[in-house]
Amino acid sequence: MSWLTAFLGWLGEFFGDGANWTGSDGIPARLLEHLEFSALALALAVLVAVPLGLAIGHTGRGGVLVVVAANLARALPTLGLLVMFVLLLGASSIWPVIIPLVLLAVPPILVNTYEGIKGVDPELRDAAYGMGLRGGQVLGRVLVPVALPLILLGCRLSAIQVVATTTVAAYTGLGGLGRYVIDGFATKDYAGVVGGSVLIVLFALFVQVVFALVQRLTVSPGVSRRPTIR
């Protein structure tokens, strides 16, 4: 159990050090930086992937391209893209980090949105058209509510990947929780490595909880098949 003792010791050392809770290198500041990078990348990915997935899923055109493009994007190495964009754009801005994160986040959202819309029961579509609804109305009032659980699942998967991968921002000299891990390895500060890693895991779990709450608040009980209180 020596490894567990060492782990708990490093954890206590990291979180018990008051210097780690204040200043620009403190946990609150690094957590806010990590949140900003992650939120920006996820927001841009949603703005790109959700409308594209809705359009392709609704029209049925380009579905094969979605799957192929998503699989190709998943094969791209995020760290390699980061280095490439740093060389192309320099390390003076956040975009060399944000662009690879967006490319990482788009595929799950795009595929899940497309599959969610495409998978809606055709009879439900026909009924909506039979009630006099038109293309955009059918999409917004019928297809999106039914496909929402799958769309949110894609967003949740992307968010967790982004939160975990935002750690690489530290490679470019930017902030975020990855600074504790990268700097810790560089200086053999294992308390910082362990503490930073735990913070990243806790942040990812927090994202899981947030998306679970969002899904519960936004998805109709009839779609999620959860019981309603009368």
Side-chain angles (χ1 to χ4, degrees):
M1 298 294 288
S2 59
W3 64 269
L4 180 59
T5 302
F7 176 84
L8 294 176
W10 287 326
L11 206 59
E13 179 184 343
F14 179 78
F15 287 104
D17 188 351
N20 288 333
W21 293 94
T22 59
S24 59
D25 293 331
I27 293 172
R30 293 302 187 197
L31 186 61
L32 181 59
E33 291 170 343
H34 206 97
L35 176 62
E36 289 174 348
F37 296 148
S38 302
L40 177 57
L42 184 63
L44 292 174
V46 168
L47 289 175
V48 171
V50 170
L52 189 58
L54 293 177
I56 296 175
H58 186 42
T59 62
R61 300 171 183 172
V64 175
L65 293 177
V66 168
V67 176
V68 172
N71 288 332
L72 289 176
R74 285 170 176 159
L76 294 174
T78 304
L79 183 56
L81 288 174
L82 173 67
V83 173
M84 183 184 73
F85 281 111
V86 167
L87 293 175
L88 292 175
L89 304 177
S92 59
S93 72
I94 64 173
W95 294 110
V97 174
I98 297 301
I99 293 174
L101 291 176
V102 171
L103 294 176
L104 174 71
V106 162
I109 301 174
L110 177 59
V111 171
N112 278 41
T113 302
Y114 163 71
E115 293 291 348
I117 297 298
K118 178 188 174 186
V120 174
D121 190 340
E123 293 184 0
L124 191 59
R125 291 174 182 257
D126 294 340
Y129 282 115
M131 293 172 60
L133 299 181
R134 293 295 177 261
Q137 294 174 318
V138 172
L139 179 63
R141 297 183 186 181
V142 179
L143 303 186
V144 170
V146 174
L148 191 56
L150 203 55
I151 296 172
L152 289 176
L153 174 61
C155 293
R156 177 168 62 86
L157 293 174
S158 290
I160 294 169
Q161 289 179 351
V162 166
V163 166
T165 312
T166 298
T167 305
V168 302
Y171 278 107
T172 67
L174 295 178
L177 297 175
R179 282 254 63 93
Y180 295 123
V181 178
I182 303 302
D183 293 347
F185 275 121
T187 61
K188 295 185 179 181
D189 176 16
Y190 298 116
V193 174
V194 170
S197 300
V198 168
L199 284 172
I200 294 168
V201 171
L202 292 176
F203 194 9
L205 292 175
F206 173 75
V207 169
Q208 289 263 31
V209 172
V210 169
F211 271 93
L213 291 175
V214 169
Q215 179 165 339
R216 186 167 185 84
L217 292 174
T218 59
V219 176
S220 168
V223 174
S224 63
R225 297 182 180 177
R226 68 174 184 266
T228 57
I229 299 175
R230 298 182 181 275

